[in-house]
Amino acid sequence: MLGGHLLATVSALIIWSLFHRSLITIAIVLAFVLILMILTKTVHPPAAASAIVAINTQAGWGYLGIIMICACVVVLISTVYNNLFQDRQYPRYWV
């Protein structure tokens, strides 16, 4: 999740800074982000949505920090919640 959001948002912001906002730019960003996530095995579909939001809102580089903080909070909350139960341990293979 973290890798997908990081790759998608950074890629979107770089492409946006080079080509500015247009329908073609959005299509290029979406295709590039999906291919990049597949190649790095960090596929997370909402991360592609983060890339589109970065382009549409023309958020700038501060958006990357917000996305990463939110992604870390979601991972932290889900880890704590899933480890409250005896039969569910997350992440199983990291421990």
Side-chain angles (χ1 to χ4, degrees), residues 2-62:
L2 297 175
H5 277 289
L6 180 66
L7 288 173
T9 307
V10 167
S11 300
L13 290 171
I14 289 172
I15 293 172
W16 170 70
S17 66
L18 293 174
F19 301 110
H20 303 290
R21 183 177 166 236
S22 71
L23 291 177
I24 299 297
T25 307
I26 294 171
I28 290 170
V29 165
L30 192 56
F32 183 75
V33 162
L34 291 174
I35 291 169
L36 189 62
M37 284 193 292
I38 289 170
L39 291 176
T40 60
K41 295 180 176 36
T42 57
V43 177
H44 184 62
S50 295
I52 293 173
V53 169
I55 295 282
N56 279 336
T57 62
Q58 302 174 3
W61 287 97

